[in-house]
């Protein structure tokens, strides 16, 4: 029988260890060390080293587990348990010295997310949840907002950096939501957007073209904080479609209707 709470506590320590390394490196980081995985898709030795550190420690905690990790430093997969890791979500922010980036670690048991940890390094804020738990920020319970209307909601989003074929539809969506909500924000780290939605700073968040490591931990935390998440079709496949809408649950229908009008299949 897995003790998910104890497992989550161990993952928090791993995330903070990686975060300490990342913030230390940020003080001397040189842009000449950037590598490009694709257009606007950057990586550095910091991402790769942090990922190796995380995988090494998680392998000790759950030796039978596999890994789905952004930088591909391990190709081991497992039948039951797989960690989903973004060692440095917000790499572009990190490279440019913008203090909004995080370590994101989730554990999937078969098809269920059972542990989620997001450590926002600059603010020293650790958001986390585990199977059937409440959601927490630095030891205190968090909940999504009580806002019931989009016109009084603060909404987060992200900008696409590939698959620009849907960019026009997205910009139409962006414009409509911007006109109908209280304000629109773009932080540049999906895990942080989801964490802030979970604790009520944002009332909702939407973005497309994401990967599992961007959102896995955040999806669990939002859900355990009382929120809802779905894909751009209103379905429950955000982790596999890479289109994500997360809300406080109260403005889901209103926001989903707008999104669906721009992204009809």
């Amino acid at each position: 029988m897995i003790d998910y709470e104890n497992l989550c506590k161990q993952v928090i320590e791993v995330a903070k260890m990686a975060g300490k390394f990342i913030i230390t490196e940020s003080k001397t980081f040189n842009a000449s060390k950037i590598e490009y995985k694709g257009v606007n898709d950057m990586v550095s030795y910091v991402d790769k080293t942090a990922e190796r550190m995380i995988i090494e420690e998680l392998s000790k905690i759950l030796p039978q587990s596999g890994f789905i990790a952004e930088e591909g430093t391990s190709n081991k997969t497992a039948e039951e348990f797989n960690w989903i890791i973004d060692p440095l979500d917000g790499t572009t922010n990190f490279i440019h010295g913008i203090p909004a980036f995080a370590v994101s670690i989730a554990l999937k048991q078969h098809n269920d997310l059972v542990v989620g940890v997001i450590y926002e390094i600059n603010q020293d804020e650790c958001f986390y949840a585990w199977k059937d738990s409440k959601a927490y920020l630095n030891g205190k319970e968090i909940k999504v907002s009580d806002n019931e209307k989009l016109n009084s909601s603060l909404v987060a989003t992200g900008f696409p950096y590939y698959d620009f074929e849907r960019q026009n539809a997205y910009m139409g969506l962006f414009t409509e939501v911007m006109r109908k909500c209280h304000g629109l924000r773009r932080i540049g780290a999906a895990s942080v957007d989801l964490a802030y939605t979970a604790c009520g700073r944002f009332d909702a968040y939407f973005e497309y073209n994401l990967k599992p490591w961007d959102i896995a931990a955040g999806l669990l935390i939002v859900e355990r904080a009382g929120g809802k998440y779905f894909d751009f079709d209103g379905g429950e496949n955000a982790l596999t479609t890479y289109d994500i809408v997360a809300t406080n649950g109260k403005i889901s229908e209103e926001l989903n209707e707008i999104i669906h009008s721009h992204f009809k299949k």
Side-chain angles (χ1 to χ4, degrees), residues 20-172:
K20 183 178 180 180
F21 165 74
I22 291 167
I23 202 67
T24 299
E25 294 303 310
S26 71
K27 298 172 184 177
T28 57
F29 185 79
N30 190 309
S32 65
K33 299 174 182 178
I34 299 169
E35 301 174 28
Y36 284 86
K37 297 184 288 185
V39 177
N40 300 325
D41 191 3
M42 293 174 282
V43 68
S44 75
Y45 76 92
V46 178
D47 305 66
K48 293 178 179 180
T49 303
E51 185 172 287
R52 283 192 290 267
M53 293 169 63
I54 292 168
I55 288 174
E56 181 179 355
E57 293 303 313
L58 294 179
S59 296
K60 298 175 186 176
I61 295 171
L62 206 60
Q64 71 270 36
S65 60
F67 299 93
I68 303 168
E70 180 175 15
E71 307 310 335
T73 58
S74 173
N75 58 9
K76 176 187 175 184
T77 57
E79 184 176 341
E80 183 176 7
F81 292 103
N82 285 283
W83 298 100
I84 307 176
I85 304 165
D86 192 336
L88 177 49
D89 185 30
T91 298
T92 302
N93 286 347
F94 172 84
I95 288 170
H96 289 274
I98 298 170
F101 43 86
V103 178
S104 179
I105 304 172
L107 179 64
K108 187 166 71 168
Q109 184 176 13
H110 296 302
N111 293 319
D112 297 326
L113 294 169
V114 295
V115 170
V117 173
I118 296 169
Y119 180 49
E120 205 296 313
I121 301 165
N122 296 274
Q123 300 298 323
D124 191 26
E125 290 189 327
C126 192
F127 303 80
Y128 55 94
W130 60 90
K131 183 179 181 180
D132 299 328
S133 76
K134 297 176 181 179
Y136 299 92
L137 163 56
N138 289 352
K140 295 182 179 180
E141 183 183 350
I142 55 173
K143 294 182 179 179
V144 294
S145 73
D146 292 323
N147 203 334
E148 296 185 350
K149 297 292 183 181
L150 183 60
N151 64 11
S152 57
S153 294
L154 184 62
V155 179
T157 189
F159 302 148
Y161 60 90
Y162 72 100
D163 188 12
F164 295 111
E165 292 181 2
R166 297 196 290 173
Q167 186 173 10
N168 288 340
Y170 188 79
M171 294 309 294

